[in-house]
Amino acid sequence: MQAFNRIDHWDSAAERYERTAHPYTASYVEAGLAQVPLTPRSRVLDVAAGTGALAFAAARSGAQVLATDFSPGMVARIAAKAVPNVEAQVMDGQALDLPDASFDAVFSFFGVFMFPDWRKGLAEMARVTRPGGYGVVAVWQDRGAGAFMLLGQLIRRLFPETPLAPMPESMTILNTAEGFAAELIGAGYRDPQIEFVTRDFGLDMTAMDELDAAFDPSPDWANLDRAQKDMIISELRRIAGDRAVLPIPSTALIGVARR
């Protein structure tokens, strides 16, 4: 997970992320927004906003949205859309430069669990949520989403002697409803409700030449030699058959809590 904590990684990945990951993560956003009553009077914060999948969806309610991310490259992608009620700022989610109790709803979709100090990230979300407001956090189950999850499954099956990289502490705790709920309470929220949401990730089989770049941040991929990587690619092609897009069901946990 070290690559995920580097600003330069996300800056360089911003264009590809917007093209591939953004539409996929957007498919989970509506499940979280459905639990929060937003109006044009609402103030919304999106922490670790990426290229704005949540921010833009929330803005359609008329709410005033502040999208933050530590990557200037990601923030620039949001700002370039020039959506009138969406502001984008570079900001560290572990130390939000924002007043206490200043937002009606604070979201982090697939972001806060990757922070080096993820508990601080959750506590910062709670700090800036007004009393009675909402905190909404989405995390991946298993070893992540889509291709990363499938990669782990293929390594277990094809190379059982090859150990998988240990998951960060956050994923081992937050990928159960009990652990997730306890951490939201510990951060300062109350009455957490955890929902499991499954969507299909579409792996583009016409872009197998880009697979190295797509898997590059994965320590499991980095630990394979060239022959093993070629076997993974061959197996993906076999599984896909004549399909141009391979659907990979992936499950997220979405936690909604009150302040």
Side-chain angles (χ1 to χ4, degrees), residues 68-222:
T68 65
D69 200 285
F70 80 151
S71 162
M74 293 289 187
V75 170
R77 294 266 164 184
I78 298 173
K81 298 294 189 298
V83 176
N85 56 327
V86 175
E87 180 186 359
Q89 292 185 23
V90 176
M91 198 175 297
D92 182 357
Q94 299 163 116
L96 295 170
D97 187 17
L98 297 166
D100 294 353
S102 50
F103 292 90
D104 300 294
V106 180
F107 295 82
S108 183
F109 265 61
F110 312 116
V112 70
F113 75 93
M114 291 190 288
F115 292 178
D117 191 345
W118 56 274
R119 285 192 173 98
K120 178 63 173 173
L122 288 174
E124 280 291 274
M125 290 180 63
R127 178 182 66 80
V128 301
T129 307
R130 67 163 177 81
Y134 293 83
V136 185
V137 178
V139 301
W140 297 118
Q141 194 181 36
D142 196 25
R143 298 185 67 78
F148 288 98
M149 181 187 69
L150 182 58
L151 175 63
Q153 293 171 351
L154 292 177
I155 290 174
R156 288 189 189 105
R157 178 155 58 83
L158 297 176
F159 318 117
E161 74 288 351
T162 300
L164 295 175
M167 286 291 95
E169 178 193 45
S170 60
M171 290 187 72
T172 65
I173 294 174
L174 299 176
N175 67 8
T176 69
E178 296 78 13
F180 197 176
E183 293 297 337
L184 288 173
I185 292 170
Y189 286 110
R190 60 181 171 84
D191 303 327
Q193 303 295 318
I194 312 299
E195 179 183 8
F196 289 75
V197 179
T198 301
R199 299 285 186 267
D200 279 346
F201 173 83
L203 181 62
D204 184 359
M205 298 304 297
T206 68
M208 285 294 96
D209 290 343
E210 298 180 12
L211 199 61
D212 269 321
F215 280 149
D216 183 57
S218 168
D220 292 325
W221 185 253

